Amino acid sequence: MKITVIGSGYVGLVTGACLADTGNHVLCIDLDAGKIDRLRRGEIPIHEPGLDTVVARGLAAGRLRFSTDYAEAVAHAAVAFIAVGTPSDEDGSADLSHVLSAARELGRRMERDTLVIVKSTVPVGTSDKVRAAVQEQLQARGVPHKVSVASNPEFLKEGLAVEDFMRPDRIVVGTDPDDHRAKDIFREMYAPFNRNHERIFFMDVRSAEFTKYASNCMLAVRISFMNELANLADRLKVDIEQVRRGVGADPRIGPHFLYAGAGFGGSCFPKDLRALIHTSEESGEPAELMRAAQNVNLRQRRLLGQKIVAHFGGKLDGRTIALWGLAFKANTDDVREASSIDIIDALLQAGARVRAYDPAALETAATALKGRAGVSLVRSAAEALEGADALAVVTEWLEFRSPDFDDLARRLKSRVLFDGRNLYDPFAVRRAGLVYQGIGRSGVGE
Ligand SMILES: NC(=O)c1ccc[n+]([C@@H]2O[C@H](COP(=O)([O-])OP(=O)(O)OC[C@H]3O[C@@H](n4cnc5c(N)ncnc54)[C@H](O)[C@@H]3O)[C@@H](O)[C@H]2O)c1
Ligand SMILES: O=c1ccn([C@@H]2O[C@H](COP(=O)(O)OP(=O)(O)O[C@H]3O[C@H](CO)[C@@H](O)[C@H](O)[C@H]3O)[C@@H](O)[C@H]2O)c(=O)[nH]1
């Protein structure tokens, strides 16, 4: 099948590369000429495990191509994904300007009946706006082509994007009920990912759009709830890690996404919560639970910084804090809305210097932290410890999982370890002579 993908970021690039890998001829386009140049040379502009191999295979086979040209995109295929960004607008709603601009560009050039598939995360009703934007352009040109619009939200996780796309737990597809052509296209396109179990959930377009927000917001609420419990556990001298295991063993709850920590970040949960809260309030009902989850998370992102400042009696003048992990989660270079930024700000404000290291996010963090004096981004975990009083671990990268605590105790002047992801055994840390502070584990091993 010939497929065009508009927007070659985390979602567009993974979608395009994986669909090329299963035999389709895919043209990915983007407005960012620098990104497209790099992709043409086989360079991957983001850190996403396994993506380089899939892109290289597609380029070598001639099934994956990149362009900045909408005319080429429209000429290439009668099936076009829109996978551009939908950032938060000032009022929290999803900014649809990129999506609608892509739709207009398609309409301006369409030369045949086309299926437009909205893959970006968009509020209920957006597919109607996309259809109207394309049709307006077709009418202005006086051409009779039909546009069919479907919703196919993406559920991949950064750091596991290729794996998630290749082995989806579900493929949500919203079409008009009588759009049999669109359904056939989806069945054919996703057949390689749908061999052993039925993964495709066909539904109406509005329900598909809503399913994406419902999933992300449910997960975000769950994390905030665990974080609230963790903070209570801290006050009660309970170990939230033992509680997590006990609670997660109930099959009605399950063990996943129950990790308390330094708050959730990334380009999706915070933004999608804001958008659904906005939608809910616009429709006449306050989104009480989601607002609470949002507030808990804003507090949680500041918590580790506050714990560090409090440990040193409210002032960090002359102190150096080593920070391991800048990305919002492991296995990505993405620092969008990462807790590390809030923590660094709290430390700088209290007068500290920060030496931060991340295995993949040094470049993106350098951009995000531009203008903040007092932060040094360094090239290794060991380098971050040089001259440091304390260590704060913010991202759960594998390479931070089992440090030599005796060595840390020798290097850290004030011998204190702040574990923002509850990665360590407090007993082992304390045995090495370090003070341990996690999230919801204040009494453990004391
Ligand atoms: N990142 C994720 O893990 C993830 C997962 C599922 C869904 N989503 C959703 O997918 C969408 C895209 O997210 P992303 O993380 O891939 O974003 P991104 O910022 O990484 O990529 C978007 C790309 O679109 C390009 N672009 C913007 N306007 C364009 C236009 N008019 N024409 C062509 N290209 C254009 C940008 O230059 C950029 O390269 C968002 O709605 C997001 O919420 C993201
Ligand atoms: O138990 C947990 C699990 C996650 N997190 C944090 O939650 C954030 C998001 O993590 P994750 O969901 O793994 O990453 P994303 O790549 O943002 O993926 C989410 O957002 C995507 C974009 O919409 C969706 O496609 C995915 O299904 C959804 O999991 C990160 O800051 C994590 O540290 C926790 O604090 N505790």
Side-chain angles (χ1 to χ4, degrees):
M1 188 185 298
K2 287 186 164 185
I3 298 166
T4 285
V5 180
I6 300 171
S8 306
Y10 286 87
V11 168
L13 181 56
V14 170
T15 302
C18 291
L19 289 176
D21 216 32
T22 50
N24 300 290
H25 285 82
V26 182
L27 177 66
C28 290
I29 72 158
D30 204 285
L31 295 180
D32 182 339
K35 192 178 267 188
I36 292 300
D37 275 348
R38 292 181 65 184
L39 285 166
R40 279 182 174 148
R41 292 197 297 271
E43 284 175 30
I44 310 298
I46 53 175
H47 177 92
E48 196 52 64
L51 185 56
D52 51 352
T53 316
V54 184
V55 169
R57 260 201 306 265
L59 286 171
R63 285 197 306 269
L64 180 62
R65 290 189 300 116
F66 296 99
S67 172
T68 51
D69 185 358
Y70 265 95
E72 202 183 335
V74 168
H76 175 73
V79 176
F81 279 97
I82 297 182
V84 300
T86 48
S88 290
D89 224 331
E90 275 165 20
D91 60 2
S93 63
D95 173 1
L96 296 179
S97 58
H98 303 295
V99 170
L100 296 178
S101 152
R104 281 191 294 273
E105 294 293 336
L106 286 174
R108 242 170 240 151
R109 297 173 176 84
M110 254 170 65
E111 290 299 341
R112 56 189 145 166
D113 294 355
T114 298
L115 171 63
V116 176
I117 305 170
V118 181
K119 202 163 227 343
S120 302
T121 301
V122 294
V124 172
T126 301
S127 296
D128 291 338
K129 292 183 185 167
V130 166
R131 183 182 290 106
V134 178
Q135 272 169 346
E136 202 175 289
Q137 297 301 320
L138 294 175
Q139 273 157 18
R141 289 163 55 210
V143 289
H145 312 306
K146 278 207 298 249
V147 58
S148 160
V149 180
S151 162
N152 172 216
E154 181 51 57
F155 295 93
L156 63 79
K157 300 181 286 298
E158 288 183 24
L160 277 170
V162 172
E163 170 76 16
D164 283 346
F165 196 94
M166 292 295 200
R167 283 183 239 282
D169 42 28
R170 77 215 113 147
I171 298 167
V172 169
V173 175
T175 63
D176 290 341
D178 52 357
D179 195 343
H180 301 294
R181 183 177 159 270
K183 286 184 197 168
D184 288 344
I185 289 173
F186 279 109
R187 274 194 204 97
E188 185 188 334
M189 183 164 58
Y190 285 129
F193 313 102
N194 200 38
R195 277 187 72 190
N196 300 322
H197 302 279
E198 184 58 50
R199 307 276 188 218
I200 305 181
F201 294 85
F202 283 109
M203 54 182 80
D204 66 87
V205 173
R206 294 171 78 85
S207 301
E209 291 170 330
F210 197 72
T211 301
K212 174 66 200 178
Y213 281 104
S215 296
N216 273 5
C217 293
M218 191 168 295
L219 292 168
V221 168
R222 181 170 159 114
I223 297 169
S224 274
F225 183 59
M226 272 313 277
N227 282 333
E228 186 162 288
L229 291 180
N231 299 341
L232 180 56
D234 252 339
R235 299 195 293 279
L236 300 180
K237 298 210 179 297
V238 163
D239 182 3
I240 195 67
E241 278 300 290
Q242 298 191 46
V243 174
R244 174 180 65 74
R245 285 187 212 112
V247 168
D250 182 336
R252 292 170 302 177
I253 297 175
H256 304 294
F257 262 73
L258 278 185
Y259 292 85
F264 59 76
S267 67
C268 293
F269 285 176
K271 146 180 106 59
D272 294 346
L273 254 186
R274 284 193 288 270
L276 198 58
I277 289 171
H278 183 272
T279 301
S280 179
E281 292 178 353
E282 203 181 42
S283 77
E285 277 287 329
E288 288 171 17
L289 195 53
M290 289 189 284
R291 269 245 185 255
Q294 185 182 49
N295 290 335
V296 167
N297 193 53
L298 293 175
R299 264 206 333 256
Q300 202 69 17
R301 273 169 26 187
R302 291 194 291 262
L303 182 70
L304 199 69
Q306 286 165 347
K307 282 188 181 223
I308 300 171
V309 176
H311 177 84
F312 288 101
K315 276 211 167 138
L316 291 175
D317 294 308
R319 304 273 185 192
T320 298
I321 309 298
L323 195 131
W324 285 358
L326 292 156
F328 82 96
K329 61 184 275 194
N331 299 317
T332 180
D333 59 349
D334 200 340
V335 297
R336 289 180 281 186
E337 303 210 31
S339 307
S340 60
I341 313 272
D342 297 83
I343 294 164
I344 288 174
D345 281 340
L347 299 177
L348 295 179
Q349 211 180 352
R353 298 189 64 76
V354 178
R355 291 176 68 75
Y357 165 69
D358 189 283
L362 289 175
E363 228 174 278
T364 46
T367 309
L369 293 167
K370 212 169 176 177
R372 286 169 173 89
V375 189
S376 313
L377 300 180
V378 300
R379 299 260 146 218
S380 73
E383 214 183 308
L385 299 173
E386 283 170 18
D389 289 275
L391 169 64
V393 182
V394 183
T395 313
E396 64 282 20
W397 282 97
L398 213 53
E399 73 167 83
F400 303 152
R401 288 296 174 100
S402 15
D404 177 342
F405 297 124
D406 294 320
D407 184 52
L408 283 181
R410 277 191 296 275
R411 287 168 183 254
L412 296 171
K413 289 192 275 184
S414 302
R415 294 183 156 225
V416 48
L417 170 55
F418 296 93
D419 180 1
R421 297 290 166 194
N422 290 349
L423 301 181
Y424 309 124
D425 172 6
F427 288 94
V429 177
R430 289 184 173 130
R431 264 199 308 273
L434 287 157
V435 173
Y436 175 85
Q437 284 208 30
I439 308 288
R441 325 190 68 188
S442 67
V444 191
E446 271 177 348

